[in-house]
Amino acid sequence: METLGFLMAGIGAAMQPGILLAILVGVVIGLFISVLPGLGPAAGVAILLPVVVGLDGTMAMAALAGVYYGGMYGGAVTSILLGIPGDAPSVMTVLDGHPMAQQGRAGDALSMNVLASFFGGLFGLVMLVGVAYQVARFALAFGPTEMTALMVMALSLVSVLGGKDALKGFAALALGLWIGMVGLDVIGGFPRYHYGSMHLLSGLEFSVIAVGLFGLGQIFAAITQPPLQDSQKIRYTFRSLIPNPRELIRCRWDLLRGSVIGFVVGILPGVGATASTMLSYAVAKRFSRTPERFGKGAIEGVAAPEAANNSASYAAMIPLFTLGIPGSATTAVLMGGLLMIGLQPGPQMFQQHSEFVWTLFGTFYIGNVALVFLTILLIPVLASIVFVSRALLFPMIICVVMFAVFSIGYSVANLWIVIVFGVLGYVMLRLDYPAVPLILGVVLGPLLERAVRRTLIASQGDMMVFLQRPIALTLFVLTALFLLAPLAKRGLAAFARHRNAGS
Amino acid sequence: MPVRILDILVALCLIALGVHIVWMSIGYGYIVRNVPGPGFFPFWVGLGIVLLSVLNLWKALRLERGERRDREGWAALRVVGIVLAMSLAILALPWLGMILATGLLIPVVGIIINGGVDRAFALRIVPAAVLMPIACYYVFGRFLNVPLITGVFGI
């Protein structure tokens, strides 16, 4: 009841014209970004970050978060109408959404997308509000030792699960940790790796790195891909987009299962919304009485993944707001936004900036409701924007990037740095080095170093201190098991092969 | 450039970077007054980069030639073109100012991505090159009060 009271006050505080406008701008940008070729929510949030940090803190974060959860609604529109997923989390929606559209049921699929997104989003929000406050209260007892263990666990999970190659994931993480060290030492203020540059002495600006890696890097990668071809136009009427209560009742368990899976998977660092859509689709098919319909236009195949990815987007915010540990690229950029407006996410934030947190959560509710109407209204525009020429779109985005990056510290040096990180992001994409561990290394590196060194300073350099606190020990053991399990599995398989060959 | 060669080059660069990080970290002080100093964390991070990159290099060397085909080929040259165009725009900022520099950058990047220019494309990119920098000027220069760079023409 206590959290409900906070939330209601937060929703009331969010009902200001400026904040409502920020939500609107954020969710509309999110809808468009999610259907634009080659760009995802991380790129959208990164490019918008320098633009909004000059605004009031709540407005800035409402807009940035709006891009994130708005992106979860829009991606499915092109999946259904064109068979082209707007972003990774809407890939599974193509499987049944597009066949439904080809069968003349585009309206049913689109309305289920909106309904499932709203249901999943609402579930994720209720859980976010219910869980976040409790986790934050529990995490207040965490000292540097526990925070070190948590960060090591999160970074390991992201490095292993965030890409195709764990070795490259860890290499990217280490590179990010080093980039986070450029400038003054976090404990004693000793200058490191600045090479005589005053600009580097104050450290590399996080938002410049994020814009380079996720904005320019993704643009560079997208222009080397072949352009999309216009496909058969799918017809639908606005009347058919009005959600049908009978379909809702029919898919109720798929919506619920998808939302639960989305929440549980989404909260884990590095796993993300895409994995939750795959799992929820598989579960929906497994529980269906007619699994043979899946892949041929089953509405449950749209309901489950769309509920999952929207639920996951809010779940991913729990470790960010309660522990100060982002688990994905987009939440890392959101954390960068919080740091830029002078807020350190973590358990203390619920105490020190309670009004901000609950107002922000209030904006999520308003944004989720607004998205239902906005998505339905903008479907024709969203379906056509995917074919806007990249040769027209990308130069305009690069222009915004130039102005936005310069506005961070009014420095030309930042423009050079964004190009360097753009090229780095592109090379990493080509070589399957995941960028998410790198950006998390940049954000969490200084916090991890501070926690490790403070602990070791307090213990006079005794490493065993990390294993003397039960929570930290449990987290380290879980991390070790997670990292060693695949190696042990591979070793056992090799042993079995060797034994079979011998016999 | 074939992906395999690029993979090897990146691994070698990372090994060199890792060695450099470790070398510098020793100078910063690994242990200072019996507690970890400014070089403690960089030392382990640098060492990690070296070890992981050696393993990545080994994996890349084990790949057969042509096993990973470069699917992007010459298209990657467009990236080089855009990077050069952006660099020139940044170098020209003190003379042209933000509005003119980005106004020229937009059609150049558009032509690089489009692979040429025709009448239909010109009719779309020219208005974009005019309107986009002006819109950015109003958002950043006026609304957010960013002191944008002005060139010799005073804009």
Side-chain angles (χ1 to χ4, degrees):
Chain A
M1 285 309 285
E2 190 184 11
T3 50
L4 192 64
F6 289 144
L7 179 66
M8 286 301 154
I11 292 174
M15 290 285 188
Q16 294 172 30
I19 296 177
L20 292 176
L21 183 66
I23 298 169
L24 183 72
V25 169
V27 296
V28 169
I29 290 176
L31 280 172
F32 281 98
I33 281 284
S34 64
V35 297
L36 287 178
L39 295 177
V45 178
I47 294 169
L48 195 63
L49 184 59
V51 183
V52 298
V53 286
L55 305 175
D56 161 73
T58 314
M59 282 169 66
M61 290 312 296
L64 292 176
V67 176
Y68 182 31
Y69 57 75
M72 294 296 166
Y73 269 71
V77 173
T78 52
S79 293
I80 293 166
L81 291 180
L82 309 165
I84 303 163
D87 52 9
S90 52
V91 169
M92 297 309 287
T93 310
V94 175
L95 298 180
D96 284 283
H98 193 53
M100 279 180 77
Q102 287 172 323
Q103 293 159 16
R105 295 159 61 209
D108 290 345
L110 288 166
S111 68
M112 180 49 76
N113 160 46
V114 175
L115 204 63
S117 297
F118 177 72
F119 187 91
L122 195 64
F123 181 89
L125 274 170
V126 169
M127 294 299 287
L128 168 71
V129 169
V131 173
Y133 188 54
Q134 307 307 327
V135 174
R137 282 172 67 163
F138 176 70
L140 277 173
F142 284 16
T145 318
E146 286 82 5
M147 287 311 292
T148 302
L150 255 180
M151 281 188 266
V152 168
M153 186 181 192
L155 292 172
S156 304
L157 278 168
V158 169
S159 302
V160 173
L161 302 173
K164 296 174 186 167
D165 187 334
L167 275 178
K168 286 184 172 176
F170 277 110
L173 169 67
L175 187 61
L177 290 172
W178 174 68
I179 292 166
M181 283 179 222
V182 172
L184 297 175
D185 163 30
V186 287
I187 298 279
F190 190 87
R192 296 183 301 191
Y193 305 106
H194 65 101
Y195 309 104
S197 159
M198 288 306 288
H199 190 83
L200 292 181
L201 192 63
S202 54
L204 287 166
E205 195 68 54
F206 169 80
S207 53
V208 179
I209 298 171
V211 173
L213 277 180
F214 297 107
L216 278 188
Q218 288 189 4
I219 287 174
F220 290 162
I223 59 172
T224 55
Q225 302 297 319
L228 298 172
Q229 298 299 316
D230 203 341
S231 56
Q232 191 189 350
K233 292 274 184 233
I234 301 285
R235 296 191 180 280
Y236 59 92
T237 61
F238 269 105
R239 194 182 167 83
S240 68
L241 296 176
I242 297 167
N244 184 346
R246 274 195 306 183
E247 297 286 15
L248 175 69
I249 295 165
R250 185 176 154 195
C251 295
R252 63 191 182 282
W253 295 115
D254 300 294
L255 290 170
L256 189 64
R257 276 192 291 262
S259 302
V260 172
I261 290 168
F263 187 81
V264 173
V265 175
I267 208 166
L268 298 172
V271 187
T274 309
S276 76
T277 60
M278 291 173 183
L279 191 58
S280 63
Y281 184 88
V283 170
K285 191 175 177 181
R286 171 74 185 77
F287 277 90
S288 173
R289 287 178 189 168
T290 50
E292 67 280 1
R293 290 188 303 111
F294 276 73
K296 297 171 187 162
I299 198 160
E300 300 92 327
V302 175
E306 282 307 310
N309 69 27
N310 281 274
S311 180
S313 67
Y314 293 107
M317 294 195 198
I318 292 179
L320 169 65
F321 282 102
T322 59
L323 304 168
I325 296 176
S328 66
T330 319
T331 49
V333 184
L334 284 176
M335 180 166 169
L338 285 167
L339 294 173
M340 283 176 81
I341 59 172
L343 296 173
Q344 175 69 56
Q348 301 284 354
M349 202 163 84
F350 280 80
Q351 290 195 324
Q352 293 166 356
H353 305 282
S354 162
E355 194 184 333
F356 166 81
V357 173
W358 291 108
T359 307
L360 190 61
F361 286 1
T363 69
F364 295 170
Y365 276 84
I366 296 167
N368 200 34
V369 175
L371 272 165
V372 172
F373 301 101
L374 285 170
T375 311
I376 290 173
L377 283 174
L378 291 173
I379 278 171
V381 188
L382 294 172
S384 57
I385 201 163
V386 73
F387 296 114
V388 170
S389 163
R390 292 168 186 178
L392 187 67
L393 184 71
F394 288 166
M396 292 198 284
I397 297 176
I398 287 174
C399 174
V400 176
V401 164
M402 295 273 285
F403 275 86
V405 168
F406 177 76
S407 72
I408 307 164
Y410 315 141
S411 166
V412 175
N414 281 339
L415 293 172
W416 292 112
I417 293 169
V418 83
I419 292 179
V420 170
F421 278 96
V423 173
L424 180 66
Y426 168 66
V427 171
M428 287 176 75
L429 274 171
R430 279 192 74 186
L431 299 180
D432 295 333
Y433 278 88
V436 181
L438 189 150
I439 203 76
L440 289 185
V442 175
V443 177
L444 294 181
L447 304 177
L448 181 64
E449 183 180 8
R450 190 183 294 137
V452 169
R453 283 176 59 195
R454 272 188 183 168
T455 308
L456 289 175
I457 287 168
S459 69
Q460 289 291 306
D462 179 12
M463 287 280 190
M464 292 310 289
V465 71
F466 287 110
L467 306 177
Q468 286 166 358
R469 309 256 303 205
I471 295 174
L473 179 64
T474 309
L475 292 171
F476 276 126
V477 169
L478 284 174
T479 308
L481 285 175
F482 172 75
L483 293 176
L484 295 175
L487 293 176
K489 199 174 163 187
R490 213 178 294 172
L492 285 172
F495 177 71
R497 270 199 308 271
H498 182 72
R499 203 173 58 179
N500 289 343
S503 64
Chain B
M1 184 186 289
V3 172
R4 179 175 172 269
I5 301 293
L6 190 62
D7 219 351
I8 291 169
L9 278 177
V10 168
L12 285 171
C13 287
L14 285 174
I15 290 169
L17 177 70
V19 170
H20 166 76
I21 294 169
V22 171
W23 178 257
M24 296 281 280
S25 73
I26 294 166
Y28 296 148
Y30 181 76
I31 296 287
V32 179
R33 290 189 217 107
N34 292 328
V35 292
F40 176 82
F41 208 66
F43 176 85
W44 290 106
V45 168
L47 198 64
I49 291 178
V50 172
L51 292 175
L52 291 161
S53 301
V54 166
L55 289 171
N56 281 327
L57 178 66
W58 180 66
K59 278 173 70 177
L61 287 171
R62 275 179 65 205
L63 285 175
E64 292 292 323
R65 276 174 199 272
E67 191 172 320
R68 281 186 66 187
R69 284 178 175 274
D70 184 11
R71 287 164 295 179
E72 294 170 9
W74 289 99
L77 276 180
R78 289 178 186 168
V79 175
V80 177
I82 294 172
V83 168
L84 282 175
M86 288 180 75
S87 303
L88 286 174
I90 297 170
L91 289 172
L93 279 177
W95 291 278
L96 296 178
M98 288 289 282
I99 297 175
L100 273 182
T102 51
L104 290 171
L105 179 66
I106 287 175
V108 172
V109 172
I111 290 166
I112 292 169
I113 297 174
N114 202 40
V117 61
D118 51 38
R119 190 179 146 77
F121 180 67
L123 284 174
R124 287 185 295 166
I125 200 75
V126 171
V130 174
L131 297 175
M132 204 62 199
I134 293 173
C136 286
Y137 165 74
Y138 275 99
V139 171
F140 291 94
R142 291 289 181 90
F143 180 62
L144 296 172
N145 290 321
V146 175
L148 298 172
I149 299 173
T150 49
V152 290
F153 303 108
I155 52 169

